[in-house]
């Protein structure tokens, strides 16, 4: 697969003819659209992302740009909400010098209104005293399963909440109305379309939001295809009457579980202790419990996706998947992130037919933090090429809104494995060829959803096509690629 100049004729949403040509031309039901200096690739898939999160993001202030605690406090002060909760997302103390975060910092902004700020990776929250008070969290509150309420020397909560402890506060924030959720979904879908994305695997979908998605789909308002994995970990999905669902542009096919937390907050579950703390990380579910939940899900026709970042978490999930396979289950099984994989476990992805769902940009943006957490000699991080060579099916996503939804940043990370301001490729042996990178974005994700009529530009296939201004031959230009037009289901949208 490589970007090509093609003349493609589309009828009834399917590719009716396709030829190499001098100028890229898309003919839809007889009407021609010519694109000079443009190249066609199959529609790009983001195989792990959060649609409502992106929609919220597009509609709220982001904290990523804060380069210090003072800058962050200034940004939060500017959040234009008249009353109620002040919420924000995206802080990252790794990029600041001063790392001691305390509720008192936020009390200085407001002691009357609760403040709830989620870390960039979603695995920690920083709250003020009012938020703790409303959530009835004090020095006597026990840590929830799989979560930590950080305390000071006197045992008082500092305002930092890790993993499941975040929910103790989040549960008290008033829910967005269905109208607002609809706006989030549509804003996010159109933003994807502008970035050349024709399909998103939407993770951790909340049961309460399915109605909104289905309404939008019934009214044919979804401009891209959404394939959803709903929250499995709280068992709430059992309230659903219907099982896997397939509509116009919406499929609800899987359950999503969590085996561990994230590396940044030292929640990733490791075989060996962290290099920079006396911990192995967090086991969010035991293998027996995961097996029970996953096999019950499989029995009801769901595919299974489990978040695993640490090498021990990946091993645990593979152990569970091995049990499922030996029970005879043929459901799609995926590991979300597959970030740290022990060499002894690499081959098991292909042996057990487990999809490795990876987010290449996590590697380039987290590399320095990963080296601190794991130590210089840790060599099992983001093992893309090793997984690929052993026959694992690699599917790629961004995990937006945690990272940018621009897929060319991810393709760049796969091929170049270095951050924008870096000259040197990190662990060159784990980079992918452009062809393999594109496959992981455009082709392989469809194998994980059973949509065999998508993923390549061939006669009779669904006309999901991304038109770009770059042949991608020069690897240092990948991240500057512009999307000229996106065609989904035979419908063309021009962006430039
Ligand atoms: Zn995610």
């Amino acid at each position: 697969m490589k970007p090509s100049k093609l003349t493609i004729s589309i009828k009834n949403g399917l590719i009716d003819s396709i030829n190499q040509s001098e100028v890229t031309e898309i003919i839809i039901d007889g009407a021609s659209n010519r694109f000079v200096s443009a190249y066609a690739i199959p529609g790009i898939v983001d195989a792990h992302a959060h649609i409502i999160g992106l929609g919220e993001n597009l509609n709220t202030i982001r904290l990523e740009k804060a380069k210090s605690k003072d800058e962050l406090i200034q940004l939060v002060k500017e959040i234009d909400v008249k009353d109620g909760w002040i919420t924000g997302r995206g802080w990252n103390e790794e990029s600041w010098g001063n790392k001691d975060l305390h509720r008192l910092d936020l009390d200085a902004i407001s002691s009357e209104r609760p403040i709830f700020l989620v870390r960039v990776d979603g695995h920690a929250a920083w709250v003020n005293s009012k938020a703790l008070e409303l959530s009835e969290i004090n020095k006597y509150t026990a840590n929830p399963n799989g979560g930590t309420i950080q305390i000071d020397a006197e045992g008082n909560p500092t305002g930092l909440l890790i993993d499941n402890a975040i929910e103790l506060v989040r549960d008290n924030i008033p829910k967005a109305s269905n109208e607002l959720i609809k706006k989030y979904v549509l804003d996010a879908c159109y933003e994807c379309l502008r970035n050349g994305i024709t399909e998103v695997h939407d993770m951790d979908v909340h049961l309460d939001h399915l109605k909104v998605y289905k309404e939008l789909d019934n009214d044919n308002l979804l401009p891209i295809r959404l394939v959803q994995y709903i929250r499995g970990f709280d068992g709430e999905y059992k309230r659903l009457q219907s099982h896997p669902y397939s509509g116009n542009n919406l499929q609800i096919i899987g359950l999503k579980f969590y085996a561990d937390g994230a590396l940044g907050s030292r929640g990733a579950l490791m075989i060996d202790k962290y290099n920079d703390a006396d911990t192995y990380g967090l086991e969010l579910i035991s293998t027996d419990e995961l097996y029970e939940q996953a096999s019950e899900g499989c029995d009801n026709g769901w595919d299974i996706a489990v978040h695993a970042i640490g090498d021990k978490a990946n091993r645990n999930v593979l152990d569970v998947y091995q049990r499922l396979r030996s029970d005879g289950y043929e459901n799609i099984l995926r590991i979300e992130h597959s970030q740290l994989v022990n060499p002894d476990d690499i081959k098991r992805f292909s042996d057990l037919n487990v999809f490795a769902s990876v987010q290449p940009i996590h590697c380039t943006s987290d590399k320095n933090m990963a080296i601190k957490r794991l130590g210089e000699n840790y060599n099992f991080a983001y093992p893309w090429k090793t997984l690929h060579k052993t026959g694992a099916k690699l599917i790629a996503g961004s995990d937006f809104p945690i990272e940018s939804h621009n897929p060319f940043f991810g393709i760049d990370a796969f091929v170049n494995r270095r951050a924008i301001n870096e000259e040197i490729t990190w662990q060159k042996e784990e980079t992918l060829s452009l062809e393999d990178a594109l496959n992981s974005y455009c082709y392989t994700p469809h194998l994980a959803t059973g949509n065999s009529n998508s993923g390549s530009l061939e006669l009779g296939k669904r006309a999901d096509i991304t038109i770009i201004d770059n042949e991608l031959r020069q690897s240092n230009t990948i991240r500057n690629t512009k999307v000229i037009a996106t065609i989904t289901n035979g419908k063309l949208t021009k962006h430039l």
Side-chain angles (χ1 to χ4, degrees):
M1 173 184 305
K2 64 179 179 29
S4 309
K5 290 185 176 172
L6 300 168
T7 295
I8 301 173
S9 161
I10 298 168
K11 276 192 187 138
N12 301 321
L14 302 177
I15 296 177
D16 189 51
S17 76
I18 181 162
N19 294 294
Q20 296 286 339
S21 61
E22 288 296 307
V23 172
T24 292
E25 184 178 8
I26 305 290
I27 305 162
I28 301 177
D29 296 326
S32 162
N33 302 269
R34 284 165 67 84
F35 300 99
V36 181
S37 305
Y39 305 86
I41 54 173
I44 297 170
V45 180
D46 190 315
H48 179 121
H50 306 276
I51 282 288
I52 289 179
L54 177 59
E56 263 173 358
N57 217 0
L58 294 168
N59 286 278
T60 38
I61 190 156
R62 298 293 305 181
L63 305 172
E64 278 90 348
K65 54 187 166 186
K67 292 283 169 280
S68 68
K69 191 154 80 173
D70 290 341
E71 269 186 47
L72 177 130
I73 285 169
Q74 199 48 45
L75 281 175
V76 177
K77 277 183 181 162
E78 288 164 13
I79 295 178
D80 182 25
V81 189
K82 302 232 168 3
D83 48 37
W85 286 71
I86 298 171
T87 60
R89 189 179 175 122
W91 57 269
N92 183 0
E93 82 291 2
E94 286 293 323
S95 56
W96 313 338
N98 180 355
K99 290 181 187 158
D100 48 337
L101 312 178
H102 202 277
R103 66 192 149 83
L104 297 178
D105 300 319
L106 303 181
D107 289 356
I109 301 171
S110 178
S111 55
E112 297 302 309
R113 295 174 55 193
I115 303 178
F116 177 76
L117 308 176
V118 178
R119 194 178 188 277
V120 63
D121 63 1
H123 288 271
W126 180 14
V127 305
N128 69 346
S129 301
K130 188 70 181 177
L132 290 174
E133 182 194 318
L134 289 175
S135 311
E136 296 176 6
I137 296 174
N138 52 46
K139 68 188 300 179
Y140 306 107
T141 312
N143 285 327
N145 244 344
T148 307
I149 302 165
Q150 197 187 78
I151 51 170
D152 61 19
E154 279 81 52
N156 292 309
T158 63
L160 257 295
L161 307 166
I162 312 295
D163 285 315
N164 286 351
I166 301 168
E167 306 309 319
L168 301 179
V169 173
R170 189 167 7 225
D171 287 347
N172 294 294
I173 301 174
K175 303 269 178 285
S177 67
N178 280 354
E179 277 316 296
L180 188 57
I181 296 289
K182 256 185 200 175
K183 177 167 168 33
Y184 289 165
V185 172
L186 291 178
D187 286 358
C189 287
Y190 279 99
E191 181 65 16
C192 288
L193 196 69
R194 273 190 287 282
N195 281 272
I197 297 168
T198 57
E199 175 173 315
V200 171
H201 297 183
D202 190 15
M203 291 286 153
D204 294 300
V205 177
H206 200 289
L207 218 56
D208 294 347
H209 297 150
L210 290 183
K211 187 168 165 275
V212 170
Y213 281 108
K214 285 182 182 171
E215 275 174 22
L216 288 170
D217 188 49
N218 282 334
D219 294 341
N220 250 322
L221 293 174
L222 295 175
I224 60 170
R225 180 154 47 177
L226 299 181
V227 180
Q228 301 193 308
Y229 281 73
I230 54 179
R231 294 180 186 200
F233 53 88
D234 53 12
E236 283 280 290
Y237 76 91
K238 292 174 196 165
R239 288 198 280 123
L240 269 185
Q241 295 301 313
S242 61
H243 285 134
Y245 168 92
S246 185
N248 296 313
N249 241 356
L250 178 70
Q251 281 178 274
I252 307 170
I253 65 172
L255 302 178
K256 164 89 187 293
F257 298 95
Y258 280 81
D260 66 348
L263 200 55
S265 51
R266 299 187 189 82
L269 186 65
M270 301 299 299
I271 294 171
D272 294 317
K273 269 192 187 159
Y274 278 77
N275 181 53
D276 60 352
D278 187 23
T279 177
Y280 291 95
L282 291 171
E283 181 180 88
L284 296 185
I285 188 168
S286 72
T287 51
D288 283 341
E289 174 69 14
L290 181 59
Y291 170 78
E292 289 301 321
Q293 302 254 8
S295 56
E296 185 179 345
C298 287
D299 281 334
N300 288 300
W302 297 103
D303 294 334
I304 305 293
V306 184
H307 163 120
I309 291 193
D311 49 16
K312 177 70 169 130
N314 275 279
R315 177 171 293 174
N316 284 351
V317 179
L318 289 164
D319 286 348
V320 169
Y321 284 171
Q322 191 164 346
R323 283 171 76 182
L324 293 175
R325 289 294 187 231
S326 58
D327 289 348
Y329 288 110
E330 292 178 353
N331 307 53
I332 300 277
L333 304 175
R334 350 184 340 166
I335 295 187
E336 302 309 308
H337 310 305
S338 317
Q339 273 185 17
L340 312 172
V341 185
N342 187 279
D344 292 344
D345 295 319
I346 289 272
K347 183 76 170 56
R348 301 173 76 196
F349 279 83
S350 109
D351 290 347
L352 299 168
N353 193 17
V354 172
F355 285 84
S357 166
V358 303
Q359 297 71 41
I361 199 154
H362 280 329
C363 167
T364 48
S365 48
D366 291 352
K367 183 192 86 191
N368 293 335
M369 175 270 288
I371 290 171
K372 270 188 235 161
R373 298 283 182 272
L374 307 168
E376 284 290 343
N377 297 325
Y378 192 90
N379 282 325
F380 319 137
Y382 316 98
W384 308 320
K385 183 74 174 196
T386 310
L387 280 163
H388 178 69
K389 272 195 306 214
T390 55
K393 295 195 192 88
L394 217 56
I395 57 178
S398 66
D399 210 358
F400 69 64
I402 291 171
E403 294 285 0
S404 166
H405 49 279
N406 181 336
F408 294 94
F409 292 1
I411 295 168
D412 170 66
F414 259 157
V415 173
N416 292 311
R417 209 168 156 104
R418 60 170 184 255
I420 189 166
N421 53 354
E422 291 176 332
E423 299 274 304
I424 297 171
T425 294
W426 185 51
Q427 299 172 328
K428 194 168 190 338
E429 63 282 6
E430 291 296 349
T431 58
L432 291 189
S433 67
L434 176 68
E435 170 123 17
D436 290 338
L438 285 177
N439 268 330
S440 291
Y441 272 94
C442 303
Y443 174 72
T444 321
H446 297 292
L447 303 180
T449 61
N451 292 317
S452 56
N453 66 336
S454 292
S456 56
L457 300 180
E458 289 175 282
L459 218 58
K461 296 275 175 166
R462 184 174 148 127
D464 285 350
I465 305 165
T466 303
I467 310 281
I468 55 179
D469 71 345
N470 189 348
E471 203 175 2
L472 306 178
R473 277 202 191 167
Q474 291 187 316
S475 65
N476 60 350
T477 67
I478 293 173
R479 46 183 309 132
N480 305 324
T481 301
K482 297 269 174 299
V483 176
I484 298 173
T486 316
I487 298 126
T488 53
N489 233 349
K491 183 170 182 288
L492 182 135
T493 310
K494 290 182 188 172
H495 310 300
L496 291 180

